[in-house]
Amino acid sequence: MGAVKTKRMPRAVREQQMLDAAVQIFGRRGYMAASMDEIAELAGVSKPLVYLYLNSKEDLFTACIRREATALTDAVRAGVRGELPADRQLWEGLQAFFAHTAEHPHAWSVLHLQARTHGEPFAAEVAAMREEIVAFVTRLVAAAAREAHRDPDLPEREVAGLAEALVGAAESLAAWANATPHVTARQAAATMMNFAWSGLGNLMAGHPWTPPADEA
Amino acid sequence: MGAVKTKRMPRAVREQQMLDAAVQIFGRRGYMAASMDEIAELAGVSKPLVYLYLNSKEDLFTACIRREATALTDAVRAGVRGELPADRQLWEGLQAFFAHTAEHPHAWSVLHLQARTHGEPFAAEVAAMREEIVAFVTRLVAAAAREAHRDPDLPEREVAGLAEALVGAAESLAAWANATPHVTARQAAATMMNFAWSGLGNLMAGHPWTPPADEA
């Protein structure tokens, strides 16, 4: 019974280290160019161990998408105090979203870009996360409409469309913010509120944008 | 010199028929599942002729992306009268955008979904189109700021961020509108104006959304 030289770690801990390394490499190099050698090296383990634990490059990538999608939705949920008015909830949610995507740029690249550009199975994983975020925003917009007592004037379909637009805008802005030097998460969140809430706020107050009269 | 039975058509016409068929099949089935047999059949030509003219499935897909990207940007450009105020230009541009994506749902699926989910070379093709549209919207937002005489108060970076958000919102809304029964192009454009312009309009008028005082 000699001393065990190899540092022993629980499998769960090792797996997280592999996923940490994989997210970085997938985010930096792109899915196609990412090499399992580089991922193993960055994780400080042998390549066979990566295959033993995560099975294949595809499965490793899927595990990355799932972990990072959960981390992002958890961060947004945790950032929002449900008892606040809808605009404050949106502001908190956007701050949490942009803070998380700024702190984890490789993870955001995996979710927003890599997962959507390498085939339907990966795209479906990220679509599930997106649906959850759209549902959250839909509830917020509907709550804002209720707060403004405008329920009957804002049909369910309009609420759904606004939520889709808001999520698309935030996704696009997060990618831009990460690619543009010196844009802080708070600035991006404020730009998004400027863009979205003042518009939604007007709408809730019964001041929609109206098409020019000469088109009627 | 017997009568020529085969209907002879200029190569350019045949190619467009092949691209018409390819956009439909790629849009309906997805890039991976689309078969060259089905494309040739729908185009009413032999499969070898498709390969002779378009070379490979990859090249055919690239040709589809290029043609549809040009058609979309041309449609938006043609829909906008440059002499109008910025909000009217945006309204016309959005109507043209949603009309085109609604009339060509397979083309929009190719550009928004398929081209982005099957590898970087295709994604780069569609990114070029997107940059052109972002540049167009950036000019509109900057023009709106000038009209409102707010140049010094709306930094270039804020304008760029707003344009990115607007384009992301419109992309997201177009995908949703095409997937949701009975949403007309005009309704989608109006939802987008409600969402975006009232907000931008407030901003131009010097009424940005402001974070809650207790965060200062």
Side-chain angles (χ1 to χ4, degrees), chain B residues 108-160:
Chain B
W108 179 242
S109 167
V110 163
L111 291 176
H112 181 62
L113 206 61
Q114 298 302 323
R116 305 208 293 190
T117 57
H118 297 289
E120 270 100 10
F122 303 137
E125 290 286 339
V126 94
M129 171 198 77
R130 194 181 195 276
E131 271 170 35
E132 205 180 318
I133 292 184
V134 168
F136 173 74
V137 174
T138 302
R139 284 193 298 275
L140 268 191
V141 175
R146 267 197 311 279
E147 280 169 21
H149 306 293
R150 293 192 59 78
D151 268 284
D153 295 336
L154 204 63
E156 204 174 306
R157 172 163 302 175
E158 179 82 358
V159 171

Short mmCIF file of all heavy atoms in Angstrom, two decimals, chain B residues 108-160:
data_model
loop_
_atom_site.label_atom_id
_atom_site.label_comp_id
_atom_site.label_asym_id
_atom_site.label_seq_id
_atom_site.Cartn_x
_atom_site.Cartn_y
_atom_site.Cartn_z
N TRP B 108 -36.52 33.00 -45.64
CA TRP B 108 -36.18 33.53 -44.31
C TRP B 108 -35.64 32.42 -43.41
O TRP B 108 -34.71 32.61 -42.63
CB TRP B 108 -37.39 34.22 -43.66
CG TRP B 108 -37.06 34.76 -42.30
CD1 TRP B 108 -37.62 34.38 -41.12
CD2 TRP B 108 -36.06 35.73 -41.97
NE1 TRP B 108 -37.04 35.06 -40.07
CE2 TRP B 108 -36.07 35.89 -40.56
CE3 TRP B 108 -35.13 36.47 -42.71
CZ2 TRP B 108 -35.22 36.76 -39.89
CZ3 TRP B 108 -34.28 37.34 -42.04
CH2 TRP B 108 -34.33 37.48 -40.66
N SER B 109 -36.22 31.24 -43.54
CA SER B 109 -35.71 30.09 -42.77
C SER B 109 -34.27 29.77 -43.17
O SER B 109 -33.42 29.49 -42.32
CB SER B 109 -36.62 28.88 -42.99
OG SER B 109 -36.01 27.71 -42.51
N VAL B 110 -33.99 29.85 -44.48
CA VAL B 110 -32.61 29.61 -44.95
C VAL B 110 -31.67 30.65 -44.35
O VAL B 110 -30.61 30.30 -43.81
CB VAL B 110 -32.54 29.64 -46.50
CG1 VAL B 110 -31.10 29.81 -46.99
CG2 VAL B 110 -33.15 28.37 -47.09
N LEU B 111 -32.06 31.92 -44.38
CA LEU B 111 -31.16 32.98 -43.92
C LEU B 111 -31.02 33.01 -42.40
O LEU B 111 -29.92 33.14 -41.86
CB LEU B 111 -31.68 34.35 -44.39
CG LEU B 111 -31.63 34.63 -45.88
CD1 LEU B 111 -32.27 35.97 -46.18
CD2 LEU B 111 -30.19 34.60 -46.39
N HIS B 112 -32.15 32.92 -41.70
CA HIS B 112 -32.14 33.15 -40.26
C HIS B 112 -31.74 31.90 -39.49
O HIS B 112 -31.09 31.97 -38.46
CB HIS B 112 -33.52 33.63 -39.81
CG HIS B 112 -33.61 33.93 -38.35
ND1 HIS B 112 -32.85 34.92 -37.74
CD2 HIS B 112 -34.35 33.38 -37.35
CE1 HIS B 112 -33.14 34.96 -36.46
NE2 HIS B 112 -34.04 34.04 -36.19
N LEU B 113 -32.14 30.75 -40.02
CA LEU B 113 -31.97 29.51 -39.25
C LEU B 113 -30.93 28.60 -39.89
O LEU B 113 -29.90 28.30 -39.30
CB LEU B 113 -33.32 28.80 -39.19
CG LEU B 113 -33.53 27.88 -37.99
CD1 LEU B 113 -33.44 28.66 -36.70
CD2 LEU B 113 -34.89 27.20 -38.11
N GLN B 114 -31.21 28.18 -41.14
CA GLN B 114 -30.35 27.19 -41.78
C GLN B 114 -28.92 27.70 -41.96
O GLN B 114 -27.96 27.01 -41.64
CB GLN B 114 -30.93 26.78 -43.14
CG GLN B 114 -32.29 26.13 -43.03
CD GLN B 114 -32.25 24.89 -42.15
OE1 GLN B 114 -31.27 24.15 -42.17
NE2 GLN B 114 -33.27 24.68 -41.35
N ALA B 115 -28.78 28.94 -42.49
CA ALA B 115 -27.44 29.45 -42.78
C ALA B 115 -26.62 29.60 -41.51
O ALA B 115 -25.39 29.54 -41.53
CB ALA B 115 -27.54 30.79 -43.52
N ARG B 116 -27.31 29.80 -40.37
CA ARG B 116 -26.57 30.00 -39.13
C ARG B 116 -26.31 28.71 -38.37
O ARG B 116 -25.53 28.71 -37.42
CB ARG B 116 -27.34 30.96 -38.22
CG ARG B 116 -27.65 32.28 -38.93
CD ARG B 116 -27.77 33.41 -37.97
NE ARG B 116 -28.92 33.30 -37.09
CZ ARG B 116 -29.32 34.29 -36.31
NH1 ARG B 116 -28.65 35.43 -36.28
NH2 ARG B 116 -30.36 34.14 -35.54
N THR B 117 -26.96 27.63 -38.77
CA THR B 117 -26.81 26.40 -37.99
C THR B 117 -26.00 25.32 -38.70
O THR B 117 -26.00 24.18 -38.26
CB THR B 117 -28.20 25.81 -37.62
OG1 THR B 117 -28.94 25.61 -38.82
CG2 THR B 117 -28.97 26.74 -36.71
N HIS B 118 -25.33 25.67 -39.79
CA HIS B 118 -24.59 24.62 -40.49
C HIS B 118 -23.17 25.00 -40.84
O HIS B 118 -22.69 24.69 -41.93
CB HIS B 118 -25.38 24.14 -41.70
CG HIS B 118 -26.68 23.53 -41.32
ND1 HIS B 118 -26.76 22.31 -40.68
CD2 HIS B 118 -27.94 24.00 -41.37
CE1 HIS B 118 -28.02 22.05 -40.40
NE2 HIS B 118 -28.75 23.06 -40.81
N GLY B 119 -22.52 25.68 -39.93
CA GLY B 119 -21.10 25.93 -40.12
C GLY B 119 -20.76 27.37 -40.45
O GLY B 119 -21.58 28.12 -40.98
N GLU B 120 -19.52 27.73 -40.12
CA GLU B 120 -19.08 29.12 -40.25
C GLU B 120 -19.13 29.68 -41.68
O GLU B 120 -19.46 30.85 -41.83
CB GLU B 120 -17.67 29.30 -39.67
CG GLU B 120 -17.66 29.67 -38.20
CD GLU B 120 -17.38 28.46 -37.30
OE1 GLU B 120 -17.02 27.40 -37.86
OE2 GLU B 120 -17.55 28.57 -36.09
N PRO B 121 -18.76 28.93 -42.72
CA PRO B 121 -18.76 29.58 -44.05
C PRO B 121 -20.14 30.10 -44.42
O PRO B 121 -20.28 31.21 -44.91
CB PRO B 121 -18.33 28.45 -44.99
CG PRO B 121 -17.60 27.48 -44.13
CD PRO B 121 -18.25 27.55 -42.78
N PHE B 122 -21.20 29.32 -44.14
CA PHE B 122 -22.56 29.77 -44.43
C PHE B 122 -22.94 30.93 -43.50
O PHE B 122 -23.55 31.90 -43.92
CB PHE B 122 -23.56 28.62 -44.26
CG PHE B 122 -23.26 27.42 -45.11
CD1 PHE B 122 -23.37 26.14 -44.61
CD2 PHE B 122 -22.89 27.57 -46.44
CE1 PHE B 122 -23.12 25.02 -45.40
CE2 PHE B 122 -22.62 26.46 -47.25
CZ PHE B 122 -22.74 25.19 -46.71
N ALA B 123 -22.56 30.80 -42.23
CA ALA B 123 -22.90 31.85 -41.27
C ALA B 123 -22.25 33.17 -41.66
O ALA B 123 -22.84 34.25 -41.48
CB ALA B 123 -22.45 31.43 -39.86
N ALA B 124 -21.05 33.11 -42.24
CA ALA B 124 -20.35 34.33 -42.65
C ALA B 124 -21.09 35.02 -43.78
O ALA B 124 -21.15 36.25 -43.84
CB ALA B 124 -18.92 34.00 -43.07
N GLU B 125 -21.69 34.23 -44.70
CA GLU B 125 -22.46 34.80 -45.81
C GLU B 125 -23.61 35.65 -45.27
O GLU B 125 -23.87 36.75 -45.74
CB GLU B 125 -23.06 33.69 -46.69
CG GLU B 125 -22.05 32.91 -47.51
CD GLU B 125 -21.54 33.71 -48.70
OE1 GLU B 125 -22.21 34.67 -49.11
OE2 GLU B 125 -20.46 33.38 -49.20
N VAL B 126 -24.31 35.10 -44.28
CA VAL B 126 -25.49 35.78 -43.77
C VAL B 126 -25.08 36.94 -42.85
O VAL B 126 -25.79 37.94 -42.74
CB VAL B 126 -26.44 34.75 -43.11
CG1 VAL B 126 -26.23 34.64 -41.63
CG2 VAL B 126 -27.88 35.06 -43.43
N ALA B 127 -23.91 36.83 -42.23
CA ALA B 127 -23.42 37.90 -41.37
C ALA B 127 -23.15 39.16 -42.18
O ALA B 127 -23.36 40.28 -41.72
CB ALA B 127 -22.16 37.45 -40.63
N ALA B 128 -22.71 38.98 -43.44
CA ALA B 128 -22.43 40.13 -44.30
C ALA B 128 -23.72 40.89 -44.58
O ALA B 128 -23.76 42.13 -44.53
CB ALA B 128 -21.79 39.66 -45.61
N MET B 129 -24.80 40.15 -44.86
CA MET B 129 -26.11 40.79 -45.09
C MET B 129 -26.56 41.53 -43.84
O MET B 129 -27.03 42.66 -43.90
CB MET B 129 -27.14 39.73 -45.45
CG MET B 129 -28.57 40.29 -45.50
SD MET B 129 -29.86 39.00 -45.41
CE MET B 129 -29.84 38.59 -43.65
N ARG B 130 -26.39 40.87 -42.69
CA ARG B 130 -26.83 41.46 -41.42
C ARG B 130 -26.10 42.78 -41.16
O ARG B 130 -26.70 43.75 -40.73
CB ARG B 130 -26.55 40.46 -40.31
CG ARG B 130 -27.25 40.81 -39.01
CD ARG B 130 -26.91 39.81 -37.94
NE ARG B 130 -27.82 39.91 -36.82
CZ ARG B 130 -27.68 40.78 -35.83
NH1 ARG B 130 -26.67 41.62 -35.85
NH2 ARG B 130 -28.55 40.82 -34.84
N GLU B 131 -24.80 42.80 -41.45
CA GLU B 131 -24.03 44.03 -41.24
C GLU B 131 -24.58 45.17 -42.08
O GLU B 131 -24.62 46.32 -41.64
CB GLU B 131 -22.56 43.80 -41.59
CG GLU B 131 -21.74 43.30 -40.42
CD GLU B 131 -20.36 42.84 -40.83
OE1 GLU B 131 -19.77 43.46 -41.74
OE2 GLU B 131 -19.87 41.85 -40.24
N GLU B 132 -24.99 44.83 -43.30
CA GLU B 132 -25.54 45.86 -44.19
C GLU B 132 -26.83 46.43 -43.59
O GLU B 132 -27.06 47.64 -43.62
CB GLU B 132 -25.81 45.24 -45.56
CG GLU B 132 -25.80 46.26 -46.68
CD GLU B 132 -26.05 45.61 -48.01
OE1 GLU B 132 -25.48 44.52 -48.27
OE2 GLU B 132 -26.82 46.18 -48.81
N ILE B 133 -27.67 45.53 -43.06
CA ILE B 133 -28.94 45.98 -42.49
C ILE B 133 -28.69 46.78 -41.21
O ILE B 133 -29.32 47.81 -40.98
CB ILE B 133 -29.88 44.77 -42.24
CG1 ILE B 133 -30.30 44.18 -43.60
CG2 ILE B 133 -31.09 45.18 -41.41
CD1 ILE B 133 -31.30 43.05 -43.52
N VAL B 134 -27.74 46.33 -40.39
CA VAL B 134 -27.39 47.09 -39.17
C VAL B 134 -26.90 48.49 -39.55
O VAL B 134 -27.27 49.48 -38.92
CB VAL B 134 -26.35 46.34 -38.32
CG1 VAL B 134 -25.79 47.25 -37.22
CG2 VAL B 134 -26.94 45.07 -37.70
N ALA B 135 -26.08 48.57 -40.61
CA ALA B 135 -25.56 49.87 -41.04
C ALA B 135 -26.70 50.79 -41.48
O ALA B 135 -26.73 51.98 -41.16
CB ALA B 135 -24.57 49.68 -42.19
N PHE B 136 -27.68 50.22 -42.18
CA PHE B 136 -28.84 50.98 -42.62
C PHE B 136 -29.61 51.52 -41.42
O PHE B 136 -29.97 52.70 -41.36
CB PHE B 136 -29.73 50.08 -43.50
CG PHE B 136 -31.05 50.69 -43.88
CD1 PHE B 136 -31.12 51.69 -44.84
CD2 PHE B 136 -32.23 50.26 -43.28
CE1 PHE B 136 -32.34 52.25 -45.19
CE2 PHE B 136 -33.45 50.81 -43.63
CZ PHE B 136 -33.50 51.81 -44.59
N VAL B 137 -29.85 50.65 -40.43
CA VAL B 137 -30.60 51.06 -39.24
C VAL B 137 -29.80 52.07 -38.42
O VAL B 137 -30.35 53.03 -37.87
CB VAL B 137 -30.98 49.83 -38.38
CG1 VAL B 137 -31.62 50.26 -37.06
CG2 VAL B 137 -31.92 48.93 -39.15
N THR B 138 -28.48 51.88 -38.37
CA THR B 138 -27.62 52.83 -37.64
C THR B 138 -27.76 54.23 -38.24
O THR B 138 -27.89 55.22 -37.51
CB THR B 138 -26.15 52.37 -37.71
OG1 THR B 138 -26.06 51.05 -37.15
CG2 THR B 138 -25.24 53.31 -36.92
N ARG B 139 -27.77 54.30 -39.59
CA ARG B 139 -27.93 55.61 -40.24
C ARG B 139 -29.29 56.22 -39.90
O ARG B 139 -29.40 57.42 -39.65
CB ARG B 139 -27.79 55.46 -41.77
CG ARG B 139 -26.34 55.29 -42.22
CD ARG B 139 -26.19 55.48 -43.73
NE ARG B 139 -26.95 54.50 -44.52
CZ ARG B 139 -26.50 53.28 -44.85
NH1 ARG B 139 -25.30 52.88 -44.46
NH2 ARG B 139 -27.25 52.46 -45.57
N LEU B 140 -30.32 55.36 -39.85
CA LEU B 140 -31.67 55.86 -39.51
C LEU B 140 -31.72 56.42 -38.10
O LEU B 140 -32.29 57.49 -37.86
CB LEU B 140 -32.68 54.72 -39.61
CG LEU B 140 -33.39 54.50 -40.92
CD1 LEU B 140 -34.54 53.53 -40.74
CD2 LEU B 140 -33.92 55.83 -41.47
N VAL B 141 -31.13 55.68 -37.14
CA VAL B 141 -31.16 56.13 -35.75
C VAL B 141 -30.36 57.42 -35.61
O VAL B 141 -30.79 58.36 -34.94
CB VAL B 141 -30.62 55.03 -34.80
CG1 VAL B 141 -30.54 55.55 -33.36
CG2 VAL B 141 -31.50 53.78 -34.86
N ALA B 142 -29.21 57.48 -36.29
CA ALA B 142 -28.39 58.70 -36.24
C ALA B 142 -29.14 59.87 -36.87
O ALA B 142 -29.11 61.00 -36.36
CB ALA B 142 -27.06 58.47 -36.96
N ALA B 143 -29.86 59.59 -37.97
CA ALA B 143 -30.65 60.65 -38.63
C ALA B 143 -31.76 61.13 -37.69
O ALA B 143 -32.02 62.34 -37.60
CB ALA B 143 -31.25 60.13 -39.93
N ALA B 144 -32.39 60.19 -36.99
CA ALA B 144 -33.44 60.56 -36.04
C ALA B 144 -32.87 61.45 -34.95
O ALA B 144 -33.49 62.44 -34.53
CB ALA B 144 -34.07 59.31 -35.44
N ALA B 145 -31.67 61.11 -34.49
CA ALA B 145 -31.02 61.93 -33.45
C ALA B 145 -30.73 63.33 -33.98
O ALA B 145 -30.93 64.32 -33.29
CB ALA B 145 -29.73 61.24 -32.98
N ARG B 146 -30.29 63.40 -35.25
CA ARG B 146 -30.03 64.70 -35.86
C ARG B 146 -31.32 65.51 -35.97
O ARG B 146 -31.36 66.68 -35.64
CB ARG B 146 -29.40 64.53 -37.25
CG ARG B 146 -27.88 64.55 -37.24
CD ARG B 146 -27.34 64.80 -38.64
NE ARG B 146 -27.94 63.95 -39.66
CZ ARG B 146 -27.58 62.69 -39.90
NH1 ARG B 146 -26.60 62.14 -39.19
NH2 ARG B 146 -28.15 61.99 -40.84
N GLU B 147 -32.39 64.83 -36.45
CA GLU B 147 -33.68 65.51 -36.59
C GLU B 147 -34.12 66.10 -35.25
O GLU B 147 -34.71 67.17 -35.19
CB GLU B 147 -34.75 64.54 -37.09
CG GLU B 147 -34.68 64.30 -38.59
CD GLU B 147 -35.56 63.13 -39.03
OE1 GLU B 147 -36.49 62.77 -38.28
OE2 GLU B 147 -35.31 62.59 -40.11
N ALA B 148 -33.84 65.35 -34.19
CA ALA B 148 -34.24 65.82 -32.85
C ALA B 148 -33.18 66.73 -32.25
O ALA B 148 -33.29 67.13 -31.10
CB ALA B 148 -34.50 64.62 -31.95
N HIS B 149 -32.16 67.03 -33.05
CA HIS B 149 -31.05 67.89 -32.60
C HIS B 149 -30.42 67.38 -31.33
O HIS B 149 -30.14 68.14 -30.41
CB HIS B 149 -31.54 69.34 -32.39
CG HIS B 149 -32.21 69.89 -33.59
ND1 HIS B 149 -31.55 70.15 -34.76
CD2 HIS B 149 -33.51 70.20 -33.82
CE1 HIS B 149 -32.41 70.61 -35.67
NE2 HIS B 149 -33.60 70.64 -35.13
N ARG B 150 -30.24 66.07 -31.24
CA ARG B 150 -29.68 65.54 -30.01
C ARG B 150 -28.30 64.91 -30.22
O ARG B 150 -27.83 64.16 -29.37
CB ARG B 150 -30.61 64.51 -29.38
CG ARG B 150 -31.90 65.16 -28.89
CD ARG B 150 -32.68 64.21 -28.03
NE ARG B 150 -31.93 63.78 -26.87
CZ ARG B 150 -31.75 64.50 -25.78
NH1 ARG B 150 -32.25 65.71 -25.70
NH2 ARG B 150 -31.06 64.02 -24.77
N ASP B 151 -27.67 65.23 -31.35
CA ASP B 151 -26.37 64.65 -31.65
C ASP B 151 -25.43 64.49 -30.46
O ASP B 151 -24.95 63.40 -30.20
CB ASP B 151 -25.63 65.50 -32.70
CG ASP B 151 -25.92 64.98 -34.08
OD1 ASP B 151 -25.34 63.97 -34.44
OD2 ASP B 151 -26.75 65.59 -34.75
N PRO B 152 -25.18 65.60 -29.75
CA PRO B 152 -24.12 65.49 -28.74
C PRO B 152 -24.56 64.60 -27.58
O PRO B 152 -23.73 64.11 -26.83
CB PRO B 152 -23.93 66.94 -28.26
CG PRO B 152 -24.86 67.79 -29.07
CD PRO B 152 -25.85 66.89 -29.72
N ASP B 153 -25.88 64.42 -27.43
CA ASP B 153 -26.37 63.65 -26.29
C ASP B 153 -26.49 62.15 -26.57
O ASP B 153 -26.77 61.38 -25.67
CB ASP B 153 -27.74 64.18 -25.86
CG ASP B 153 -27.64 65.59 -25.34
OD1 ASP B 153 -26.54 65.98 -24.89
OD2 ASP B 153 -28.65 66.29 -25.40
N LEU B 154 -26.34 61.77 -27.82
CA LEU B 154 -26.50 60.35 -28.14
C LEU B 154 -25.20 59.85 -28.77
O LEU B 154 -25.01 59.96 -29.97
CB LEU B 154 -27.69 60.17 -29.10
CG LEU B 154 -28.33 58.80 -29.11
CD1 LEU B 154 -28.94 58.46 -27.76
CD2 LEU B 154 -29.39 58.73 -30.18
N PRO B 155 -24.31 59.34 -27.95
CA PRO B 155 -22.99 58.96 -28.47
C PRO B 155 -23.10 57.88 -29.55
O PRO B 155 -24.06 57.11 -29.56
CB PRO B 155 -22.28 58.39 -27.24
CG PRO B 155 -23.13 58.68 -26.07
CD PRO B 155 -24.51 58.97 -26.55
N GLU B 156 -22.12 57.87 -30.41
CA GLU B 156 -22.06 56.92 -31.51
C GLU B 156 -22.26 55.48 -31.04
O GLU B 156 -22.93 54.69 -31.66
CB GLU B 156 -20.69 57.06 -32.19
CG GLU B 156 -20.63 56.60 -33.63
CD GLU B 156 -19.26 56.91 -34.22
OE1 GLU B 156 -18.84 58.09 -34.15
OE2 GLU B 156 -18.61 56.00 -34.72
N ARG B 157 -21.66 55.19 -29.89
CA ARG B 157 -21.76 53.82 -29.37
C ARG B 157 -23.17 53.45 -28.98
O ARG B 157 -23.61 52.33 -29.20
CB ARG B 157 -20.82 53.67 -28.17
CG ARG B 157 -21.00 52.36 -27.45
CD ARG B 157 -19.85 52.06 -26.56
NE ARG B 157 -18.61 52.03 -27.31
CZ ARG B 157 -17.42 51.87 -26.73
NH1 ARG B 157 -17.32 51.78 -25.42
NH2 ARG B 157 -16.33 51.81 -27.46
N GLU B 158 -23.90 54.42 -28.41
CA GLU B 158 -25.30 54.17 -28.04
C GLU B 158 -26.13 53.93 -29.30
O GLU B 158 -26.97 53.02 -29.34
CB GLU B 158 -25.84 55.36 -27.23
CG GLU B 158 -27.29 55.24 -26.80
CD GLU B 158 -27.47 54.41 -25.53
OE1 GLU B 158 -26.46 53.89 -25.03
OE2 GLU B 158 -28.62 54.27 -25.07
N VAL B 159 -25.85 54.71 -30.33
CA VAL B 159 -26.57 54.53 -31.61
C VAL B 159 -26.30 53.13 -32.16
O VAL B 159 -27.23 52.43 -32.59
CB VAL B 159 -26.12 55.60 -32.65
CG1 VAL B 159 -26.69 55.28 -34.03
CG2 VAL B 159 -26.57 56.98 -32.19
N ALA B 160 -25.05 52.71 -32.11
CA ALA B 160 -24.69 51.38 -32.62
C ALA B 160 -25.39 50.29 -31.82
O ALA B 160 -25.91 49.32 -32.39
CB ALA B 160 -23.17 51.19 -32.56
#
